[in-house]
Structure formats: structure tokens, C-alpha cells
Amino acid sequence: FGYMIAVGQAHIVDLFVPGLGGKTDPVGPSPLIIHREQLQRVVQPWMEFTEKIMHSREAIASLGWVREMWGYCIAAANLGIKHRLLKAYQFEGGSIGNHNKQLAWPVPPTPVTAEGPIVAGVNMPYYLFHYTYGIEYSIEGIAVELQVGEWSLDKRHYMSYPPPRDFTAPPQCAHDRAHILRALYMNASAALPFWADAGARADP
């Protein structure tokens, strides 16, 4: 993660483990693949460092909403756990950022299965689609940022209920992430009988 760069928060890390500042890996830890034994070792100090951060006004002011993530980074680095960073591990981006990164799925996408899209020879170049940013477009197909577009696909809209089964297609010129994510939602809503209609609270 670009906001987990060690050098930028070295002085904060040193508050909790002197000398460790600048030596943490830029991970979250979400997403993360980790050996069970390593997870068992790190989980307790992860919680403890997070609690220490939460009791430090200086750390809270500097780290913001990623305090728990830094708790993990400090705990892992203090235990000597190193992370292998893979550029192909996850795709991340909203309607504007990372336009040079293509998902390489058909646009508009075909149905997606557990094995990938149903197109011979077409594979997903990333292991995960990390859906964090809203995807926003004007009705003309112009990407917008820091505001809700006339076409909007943002997980924050669906805190209490899922997207509708008949989610409107994005503008044809939208980045492939918009088409693909909508297709994934449509596939899920068609396959899951308990999927609730938009506006109705989903069953627990």
C-alpha cells in the first residue's frame, strides 16, 4: 500500500519499538497470505501494538484510519517476519486511478465462474480484485472523483443491503473495472437465492 511507506512514519514506529522505524514492510495486512504458525505468533503483539497506538495522541494524529494496519506492521517487523510483495497480487483502483492497469477481461465481460471468465485463453492477471474505491461516472461516461457520479458503484452505498439484481450497466467507454465488477455482482445475485433486492435489508 502506498500509504504504508515505512520512512514516512519512522518517528511514530520508533515510539513503540526504538530503532524499528523505517524497517517495516508496506503491508496492511489485508490482503495477506501467511503461514499459520506466523499468524499465531503475530496476532497477540498485533493487538497489543494497536492498543498502544490507540492510546497515543501523536500516533493517532499521524496514522489516521490505518492505525490497526500499522499495529500489524510493527508487530510483524519486531518478530522478524518479512513479506514478499507481488505486483500481480491484487488490482486496486477507482474510476480514475491506475488506468494503465488493465484487468484483461472482455468488455463487456462474459459470465465469470470459479475458474475465471468463460472465454478460452483469457485469464485474470491479478489474484485479487481489491475493491475499495468507488467507481463513479457521469451519464456521458466521464470519470469523476471525490463525488458520487450519475452512474455509481460504491460498496459504501450497500452497508445494509446488496446491490440490485438488475444493476444498470456503466457507460460503454468506462474502464474495464466498472464492467467487470458489475458483472461479478450480477453473477452473484443470479446464483444466490437469498440475494435481497436493493432497498430491502438482506437476511442475516
Side-chain angles (χ1 to χ4, degrees):
F1 294 102
Y3 46 80
M4 299 296 294
I5 301 301
V7 175
Q9 300 293 351
H11 65 293
I12 297 296
V13 173
D14 281 337
L15 293 176
F16 305 103
V17 183
L20 191 64
K23 301 176 182 178
T24 55
D25 292 331
V27 295
S30 177
L32 175 72
I33 298 175
I34 187 172
H35 290 288
R36 181 181 300 176
E37 295 76 13
Q38 290 177 315
L39 181 59
Q40 290 172 335
R41 289 172 55 209
V42 77
V43 66
Q44 183 64 32
W46 176 8
M47 182 182 71
E48 292 172 354
F49 278 118
T50 300
E51 290 175 341
K52 290 178 181 179
I53 290 171
M54 294 299 294
H55 286 90
S56 168
R57 290 186 178 182
E58 183 179 359
I60 290 174
S62 184
L63 301 181
W65 63 273
V66 292
R67 298 186 289 270
E68 175 266 340
M69 297 170 70
W70 277 101
Y72 172 84
C73 288
I74 295 171
N78 196 44
L79 290 172
I81 296 175
K82 299 295 294 181
H83 302 81
R84 180 185 177 192
L85 306 179
L86 301 174
K87 290 184 178 180
Y89 188 41
Q90 66 170 344
F91 176 88
E92 185 178 52
S95 48
I96 292 182
N98 287 337
H99 266 219
N100 60 320
K101 292 185 176 181
Q102 299 296 315
L103 290 175
W105 282 6
V107 178
T110 55
V112 177
T113 69
E115 290 73 37
I118 308 176
V119 176
V122 177
N123 296 311
M124 178 71 162
Y126 298 92
Y127 291 97
L128 299 173
F129 187 145
H130 183 185
Y131 174 43
T132 182
Y133 300 108
I135 303 176
E136 314 287 346
Y137 283 91
S138 71
I139 199 67
E140 297 84 11
I142 300 172
V144 298
E145 196 170 32
L146 302 179
Q147 60 182 304
V148 177
E150 293 168 292
W151 188 91
S152 176
L153 181 48
D154 190 331
K155 63 185 179 183
R156 296 158 189 83
H157 299 329
Y158 305 103
M159 302 289 282
S160 300
Y161 51 86
R165 292 180 183 273
D166 57 346
F167 203 104
T168 304
Q172 186 63 31
C173 60
H175 192 280
D176 57 0
R177 70 196 64 169
H179 294 276
I180 290 167
L181 190 57
R182 176 207 176 239
L184 293 173
Y185 274 132
M186 296 290 283
N187 292 342
S189 68
L192 300 174
F194 54 82
W195 192 281
D197 291 329
R201 180 177 292 275
D203 293 332

PDB file of all heavy atoms in Angstrom, residues 54-81:
ATOM      1  N   MET A  54      -3.498   3.289  19.887  1.00  0.00           N
ATOM      2  CA  MET A  54      -4.769   3.928  20.202  1.00  0.00           C
ATOM      3  C   MET A  54      -4.711   4.774  21.467  1.00  0.00           C
ATOM      4  O   MET A  54      -5.594   5.598  21.709  1.00  0.00           O
ATOM      5  CB  MET A  54      -5.864   2.868  20.337  1.00  0.00           C
ATOM      6  CG  MET A  54      -6.189   2.143  19.040  1.00  0.00           C
ATOM      7  SD  MET A  54      -6.780   3.262  17.745  1.00  0.00           S
ATOM      8  CE  MET A  54      -8.334   3.796  18.471  1.00  0.00           C
ATOM      9  N   HIS A  55      -3.685   4.578  22.273  1.00  0.00           N
ATOM     10  CA  HIS A  55      -3.520   5.366  23.493  1.00  0.00           C
ATOM     11  C   HIS A  55      -2.509   6.491  23.318  1.00  0.00           C
ATOM     12  O   HIS A  55      -2.152   7.162  24.289  1.00  0.00           O
ATOM     13  CB  HIS A  55      -3.108   4.460  24.661  1.00  0.00           C
ATOM     14  CG  HIS A  55      -4.235   3.617  25.192  1.00  0.00           C
ATOM     15  ND1 HIS A  55      -4.508   2.358  24.701  1.00  0.00           N
ATOM     16  CD2 HIS A  55      -5.163   3.869  26.144  1.00  0.00           C
ATOM     17  CE1 HIS A  55      -5.547   1.857  25.342  1.00  0.00           C
ATOM     18  NE2 HIS A  55      -5.970   2.750  26.219  1.00  0.00           N
ATOM     19  N   SER A  56      -2.028   6.685  22.095  1.00  0.00           N
ATOM     20  CA  SER A  56      -1.057   7.744  21.815  1.00  0.00           C
ATOM     21  C   SER A  56      -1.684   8.794  20.912  1.00  0.00           C
ATOM     22  O   SER A  56      -2.006   8.519  19.751  1.00  0.00           O
ATOM     23  CB  SER A  56       0.190   7.154  21.143  1.00  0.00           C
ATOM     24  OG  SER A  56       1.023   8.179  20.619  1.00  0.00           O
ATOM     25  N   ARG A  57      -1.856   9.992  21.427  1.00  0.00           N
ATOM     26  CA  ARG A  57      -2.437  11.063  20.608  1.00  0.00           C
ATOM     27  C   ARG A  57      -1.576  11.370  19.394  1.00  0.00           C
ATOM     28  O   ARG A  57      -2.075  11.636  18.306  1.00  0.00           O
ATOM     29  CB  ARG A  57      -2.622  12.312  21.457  1.00  0.00           C
ATOM     30  CG  ARG A  57      -3.723  12.198  22.519  1.00  0.00           C
ATOM     31  CD  ARG A  57      -3.919  13.534  23.215  1.00  0.00           C
ATOM     32  NE  ARG A  57      -5.001  13.447  24.209  1.00  0.00           N
ATOM     33  CZ  ARG A  57      -5.405  14.473  24.942  1.00  0.00           C
ATOM     34  NH1 ARG A  57      -4.829  15.666  24.802  1.00  0.00           N
ATOM     35  NH2 ARG A  57      -6.390  14.320  25.810  1.00  0.00           N
ATOM     36  N   GLU A  58      -0.266  11.331  19.589  1.00  0.00           N
ATOM     37  CA  GLU A  58       0.646  11.614  18.484  1.00  0.00           C
ATOM     38  C   GLU A  58       0.502  10.567  17.383  1.00  0.00           C
ATOM     39  O   GLU A  58       0.458  10.903  16.190  1.00  0.00           O
ATOM     40  CB  GLU A  58       2.087  11.659  18.982  1.00  0.00           C
ATOM     41  CG  GLU A  58       3.097  12.024  17.891  1.00  0.00           C
ATOM     42  CD  GLU A  58       4.521  12.078  18.403  1.00  0.00           C
ATOM     43  OE1 GLU A  58       4.733  11.853  19.620  1.00  0.00           O
ATOM     44  OE2 GLU A  58       5.427  12.355  17.579  1.00  0.00           O
ATOM     45  N   ALA A  59       0.416   9.294  17.777  1.00  0.00           N
ATOM     46  CA  ALA A  59       0.281   8.227  16.790  1.00  0.00           C
ATOM     47  C   ALA A  59      -1.065   8.302  16.081  1.00  0.00           C
ATOM     48  O   ALA A  59      -1.141   8.126  14.860  1.00  0.00           O
ATOM     49  CB  ALA A  59       0.448   6.871  17.470  1.00  0.00           C
ATOM     50  N   ILE A  60      -2.117   8.565  16.821  1.00  0.00           N
ATOM     51  CA  ILE A  60      -3.446   8.669  16.216  1.00  0.00           C
ATOM     52  C   ILE A  60      -3.480   9.796  15.186  1.00  0.00           C
ATOM     53  O   ILE A  60      -3.990   9.641  14.072  1.00  0.00           O
ATOM     54  CB  ILE A  60      -4.517   8.903  17.294  1.00  0.00           C
ATOM     55  CG1 ILE A  60      -4.694   7.635  18.148  1.00  0.00           C
ATOM     56  CG2 ILE A  60      -5.855   9.311  16.667  1.00  0.00           C
ATOM     57  CD1 ILE A  60      -5.618   7.818  19.333  1.00  0.00           C
ATOM     58  N   ALA A  61      -2.907  10.938  15.546  1.00  0.00           N
ATOM     59  CA  ALA A  61      -2.905  12.087  14.643  1.00  0.00           C
ATOM     60  C   ALA A  61      -2.089  11.807  13.380  1.00  0.00           C
ATOM     61  O   ALA A  61      -2.428  12.274  12.291  1.00  0.00           O
ATOM     62  CB  ALA A  61      -2.351  13.312  15.365  1.00  0.00           C
ATOM     63  N   SER A  62      -1.018  11.046  13.521  1.00  0.00           N
ATOM     64  CA  SER A  62      -0.137  10.797  12.391  1.00  0.00           C
ATOM     65  C   SER A  62      -0.615   9.641  11.507  1.00  0.00           C
ATOM     66  O   SER A  62      -0.521   9.711  10.279  1.00  0.00           O
ATOM     67  CB  SER A  62       1.280  10.498  12.894  1.00  0.00           C
ATOM     68  OG  SER A  62       2.186  10.328  11.825  1.00  0.00           O
ATOM     69  N   LEU A  63      -1.155   8.596  12.132  1.00  0.00           N
ATOM     70  CA  LEU A  63      -1.508   7.386  11.381  1.00  0.00           C
ATOM     71  C   LEU A  63      -2.923   7.406  10.829  1.00  0.00           C
ATOM     72  O   LEU A  63      -3.234   6.680   9.878  1.00  0.00           O
ATOM     73  CB  LEU A  63      -1.305   6.149  12.265  1.00  0.00           C
ATOM     74  CG  LEU A  63       0.106   5.939  12.808  1.00  0.00           C
ATOM     75  CD1 LEU A  63       0.169   4.674  13.640  1.00  0.00           C
ATOM     76  CD2 LEU A  63       1.130   5.883  11.677  1.00  0.00           C
ATOM     77  N   GLY A  64      -3.806   8.184  11.437  1.00  0.00           N
ATOM     78  CA  GLY A  64      -5.164   8.266  10.922  1.00  0.00           C
ATOM     79  C   GLY A  64      -5.911   6.949  11.012  1.00  0.00           C
ATOM     80  O   GLY A  64      -5.810   6.210  11.991  1.00  0.00           O
ATOM     81  N   TRP A  65      -6.659   6.623   9.938  1.00  0.00           N
ATOM     82  CA  TRP A  65      -7.547   5.452   9.975  1.00  0.00           C
ATOM     83  C   TRP A  65      -6.816   4.121   9.800  1.00  0.00           C
ATOM     84  O   TRP A  65      -7.444   3.051   9.929  1.00  0.00           O
ATOM     85  CB  TRP A  65      -8.625   5.582   8.894  1.00  0.00           C
ATOM     86  CG  TRP A  65      -8.094   5.605   7.491  1.00  0.00           C
ATOM     87  CD1 TRP A  65      -7.679   6.691   6.795  1.00  0.00           C
ATOM     88  CD2 TRP A  65      -7.928   4.486   6.623  1.00  0.00           C
ATOM     89  NE1 TRP A  65      -7.255   6.324   5.539  1.00  0.00           N
ATOM     90  CE2 TRP A  65      -7.402   4.974   5.402  1.00  0.00           C
ATOM     91  CE3 TRP A  65      -8.169   3.115   6.747  1.00  0.00           C
ATOM     92  CZ2 TRP A  65      -7.109   4.151   4.326  1.00  0.00           C
ATOM     93  CZ3 TRP A  65      -7.880   2.290   5.661  1.00  0.00           C
ATOM     94  CH2 TRP A  65      -7.357   2.805   4.479  1.00  0.00           C
ATOM     95  N   VAL A  66      -5.506   4.149   9.515  1.00  0.00           N
ATOM     96  CA  VAL A  66      -4.779   2.890   9.304  1.00  0.00           C
ATOM     97  C   VAL A  66      -4.003   2.470  10.555  1.00  0.00           C
ATOM     98  O   VAL A  66      -2.981   1.799  10.467  1.00  0.00           O
ATOM     99  CB  VAL A  66      -3.837   2.996   8.084  1.00  0.00           C
ATOM    100  CG1 VAL A  66      -4.629   3.109   6.806  1.00  0.00           C
ATOM    101  CG2 VAL A  66      -2.895   4.177   8.222  1.00  0.00           C
ATOM    102  N   ARG A  67      -4.491   2.833  11.709  1.00  0.00           N
ATOM    103  CA  ARG A  67      -3.773   2.529  12.954  1.00  0.00           C
ATOM    104  C   ARG A  67      -3.616   1.029  13.174  1.00  0.00           C
ATOM    105  O   ARG A  67      -2.541   0.559  13.563  1.00  0.00           O
ATOM    106  CB  ARG A  67      -4.503   3.183  14.137  1.00  0.00           C
ATOM    107  CG  ARG A  67      -4.557   4.698  14.051  1.00  0.00           C
ATOM    108  CD  ARG A  67      -5.159   5.319  15.290  1.00  0.00           C
ATOM    109  NE  ARG A  67      -6.583   5.106  15.420  1.00  0.00           N
ATOM    110  CZ  ARG A  67      -7.516   5.914  14.933  1.00  0.00           C
ATOM    111  NH1 ARG A  67      -7.169   6.995  14.255  1.00  0.00           N
ATOM    112  NH2 ARG A  67      -8.798   5.669  15.106  1.00  0.00           N
ATOM    113  N   GLU A  68      -4.676   0.288  12.944  1.00  0.00           N
ATOM    114  CA  GLU A  68      -4.611  -1.164  13.150  1.00  0.00           C
ATOM    115  C   GLU A  68      -3.652  -1.810  12.149  1.00  0.00           C
ATOM    116  O   GLU A  68      -2.976  -2.793  12.462  1.00  0.00           O
ATOM    117  CB  GLU A  68      -6.022  -1.747  13.028  1.00  0.00           C
ATOM    118  CG  GLU A  68      -6.094  -3.266  13.098  1.00  0.00           C
ATOM    119  CD  GLU A  68      -6.076  -3.890  11.718  1.00  0.00           C
ATOM    120  OE1 GLU A  68      -6.385  -3.193  10.734  1.00  0.00           O
ATOM    121  OE2 GLU A  68      -5.719  -5.080  11.633  1.00  0.00           O
ATOM    122  N   MET A  69      -3.584  -1.251  10.952  1.00  0.00           N
ATOM    123  CA  MET A  69      -2.661  -1.765   9.947  1.00  0.00           C
ATOM    124  C   MET A  69      -1.220  -1.553  10.391  1.00  0.00           C
ATOM    125  O   MET A  69      -0.358  -2.420  10.208  1.00  0.00           O
ATOM    126  CB  MET A  69      -2.929  -1.089   8.605  1.00  0.00           C
ATOM    127  CG  MET A  69      -4.316  -1.372   8.036  1.00  0.00           C
ATOM    128  SD  MET A  69      -4.749  -0.351   6.601  1.00  0.00           S
ATOM    129  CE  MET A  69      -3.653  -1.020   5.360  1.00  0.00           C
ATOM    130  N   TRP A  70      -0.950  -0.398  10.977  1.00  0.00           N
ATOM    131  CA  TRP A  70       0.398  -0.139  11.490  1.00  0.00           C
ATOM    132  C   TRP A  70       0.696  -1.014  12.702  1.00  0.00           C
ATOM    133  O   TRP A  70       1.841  -1.406  12.925  1.00  0.00           O
ATOM    134  CB  TRP A  70       0.574   1.339  11.819  1.00  0.00           C
ATOM    135  CG  TRP A  70       0.931   2.128  10.608  1.00  0.00           C
ATOM    136  CD1 TRP A  70       0.108   2.905   9.848  1.00  0.00           C
ATOM    137  CD2 TRP A  70       2.211   2.163   9.970  1.00  0.00           C
ATOM    138  NE1 TRP A  70       0.792   3.435   8.779  1.00  0.00           N
ATOM    139  CE2 TRP A  70       2.097   3.003   8.829  1.00  0.00           C
ATOM    140  CE3 TRP A  70       3.443   1.583  10.246  1.00  0.00           C
ATOM    141  CZ2 TRP A  70       3.158   3.255   7.978  1.00  0.00           C
ATOM    142  CZ3 TRP A  70       4.516   1.847   9.397  1.00  0.00           C
ATOM    143  CH2 TRP A  70       4.362   2.677   8.285  1.00  0.00           C
ATOM    144  N   GLY A  71      -0.333  -1.339  13.473  1.00  0.00           N
ATOM    145  CA  GLY A  71      -0.123  -2.272  14.580  1.00  0.00           C
ATOM    146  C   GLY A  71       0.409  -3.593  14.075  1.00  0.00           C
ATOM    147  O   GLY A  71       1.331  -4.184  14.666  1.00  0.00           O
ATOM    148  N   TYR A  72      -0.148  -4.062  12.961  1.00  0.00           N
ATOM    149  CA  TYR A  72       0.346  -5.308  12.366  1.00  0.00           C
ATOM    150  C   TYR A  72       1.770  -5.139  11.856  1.00  0.00           C
ATOM    151  O   TYR A  72       2.636  -5.997  12.109  1.00  0.00           O
ATOM    152  CB  TYR A  72      -0.552  -5.765  11.212  1.00  0.00           C
ATOM    153  CG  TYR A  72       0.053  -6.929  10.473  1.00  0.00           C
ATOM    154  CD1 TYR A  72      -0.117  -8.228  10.935  1.00  0.00           C
ATOM    155  CD2 TYR A  72       0.849  -6.730   9.345  1.00  0.00           C
ATOM    156  CE1 TYR A  72       0.484  -9.296  10.289  1.00  0.00           C
ATOM    157  CE2 TYR A  72       1.451  -7.787   8.693  1.00  0.00           C
ATOM    158  CZ  TYR A  72       1.267  -9.066   9.167  1.00  0.00           C
ATOM    159  OH  TYR A  72       1.879 -10.121   8.531  1.00  0.00           O
ATOM    160  N   CYS A  73       2.030  -4.069  11.121  1.00  0.00           N
ATOM    161  CA  CYS A  73       3.361  -3.862  10.545  1.00  0.00           C
ATOM    162  C   CYS A  73       4.445  -3.836  11.612  1.00  0.00           C
ATOM    163  O   CYS A  73       5.518  -4.425  11.449  1.00  0.00           O
ATOM    164  CB  CYS A  73       3.388  -2.560   9.751  1.00  0.00           C
ATOM    165  SG  CYS A  73       2.475  -2.623   8.216  1.00  0.00           S
ATOM    166  N   ILE A  74       4.165  -3.151  12.700  1.00  0.00           N
ATOM    167  CA  ILE A  74       5.144  -3.056  13.793  1.00  0.00           C
ATOM    168  C   ILE A  74       5.356  -4.421  14.421  1.00  0.00           C
ATOM    169  O   ILE A  74       6.487  -4.841  14.672  1.00  0.00           O
ATOM    170  CB  ILE A  74       4.681  -2.031  14.842  1.00  0.00           C
ATOM    171  CG1 ILE A  74       4.641  -0.626  14.229  1.00  0.00           C
ATOM    172  CG2 ILE A  74       5.591  -2.061  16.068  1.00  0.00           C
ATOM    173  CD1 ILE A  74       3.989   0.408  15.117  1.00  0.00           C
ATOM    174  N   ALA A  75       4.256  -5.138  14.678  1.00  0.00           N
ATOM    175  CA  ALA A  75       4.360  -6.454  15.306  1.00  0.00           C
ATOM    176  C   ALA A  75       5.139  -7.419  14.425  1.00  0.00           C
ATOM    177  O   ALA A  75       6.025  -8.145  14.903  1.00  0.00           O
ATOM    178  CB  ALA A  75       2.966  -7.004  15.601  1.00  0.00           C
ATOM    179  N   ALA A  76       4.822  -7.447  13.132  1.00  0.00           N
ATOM    180  CA  ALA A  76       5.493  -8.370  12.216  1.00  0.00           C
ATOM    181  C   ALA A  76       6.980  -8.045  12.097  1.00  0.00           C
ATOM    182  O   ALA A  76       7.835  -8.932  12.169  1.00  0.00           O
ATOM    183  CB  ALA A  76       4.828  -8.322  10.847  1.00  0.00           C
ATOM    184  N   ALA A  77       7.298  -6.766  11.935  1.00  0.00           N
ATOM    185  CA  ALA A  77       8.702  -6.373  11.805  1.00  0.00           C
ATOM    186  C   ALA A  77       9.473  -6.666  13.082  1.00  0.00           C
ATOM    187  O   ALA A  77      10.642  -7.085  13.038  1.00  0.00           O
ATOM    188  CB  ALA A  77       8.797  -4.887  11.451  1.00  0.00           C
ATOM    189  N   ASN A  78       8.847  -6.462  14.217  1.00  0.00           N
ATOM    190  CA  ASN A  78       9.510  -6.717  15.503  1.00  0.00           C
ATOM    191  C   ASN A  78       9.805  -8.196  15.691  1.00  0.00           C
ATOM    192  O   ASN A  78      10.745  -8.563  16.401  1.00  0.00           O
ATOM    193  CB  ASN A  78       8.634  -6.203  16.647  1.00  0.00           C
ATOM    194  CG  ASN A  78       9.386  -6.083  17.945  1.00  0.00           C
ATOM    195  OD1 ASN A  78      10.521  -5.601  17.981  1.00  0.00           O
ATOM    196  ND2 ASN A  78       8.776  -6.534  19.030  1.00  0.00           N
ATOM    197  N   LEU A  79       9.009  -9.063  15.050  1.00  0.00           N
ATOM    198  CA  LEU A  79       9.232 -10.509  15.126  1.00  0.00           C
ATOM    199  C   LEU A  79      10.145 -11.012  14.013  1.00  0.00           C
ATOM    200  O   LEU A  79      10.471 -12.195  13.963  1.00  0.00           O
ATOM    201  CB  LEU A  79       7.892 -11.244  15.041  1.00  0.00           C
ATOM    202  CG  LEU A  79       6.955 -11.109  16.240  1.00  0.00           C
ATOM    203  CD1 LEU A  79       5.596 -11.715  15.924  1.00  0.00           C
ATOM    204  CD2 LEU A  79       7.565 -11.773  17.474  1.00  0.00           C
ATOM    205  N   GLY A  80      10.536 -10.112  13.112  1.00  0.00           N
ATOM    206  CA  GLY A  80      11.403 -10.518  12.013  1.00  0.00           C
ATOM    207  C   GLY A  80      10.660 -11.148  10.850  1.00  0.00           C
ATOM    208  O   GLY A  80      11.279 -11.786   9.988  1.00  0.00           O
ATOM    209  N   ILE A  81       9.342 -10.984  10.788  1.00  0.00           N
ATOM    210  CA  ILE A  81       8.548 -11.534   9.687  1.00  0.00           C
ATOM    211  C   ILE A  81       8.659 -10.589   8.489  1.00  0.00           C
ATOM    212  O   ILE A  81       8.329  -9.419   8.581  1.00  0.00           O
ATOM    213  CB  ILE A  81       7.069 -11.702  10.100  1.00  0.00           C
ATOM    214  CG1 ILE A  81       6.951 -12.726  11.233  1.00  0.00           C
ATOM    215  CG2 ILE A  81       6.217 -12.121   8.902  1.00  0.00           C
ATOM    216  CD1 ILE A  81       5.542 -12.867  11.784  1.00  0.00           C
TER     217      ILE A  81
END
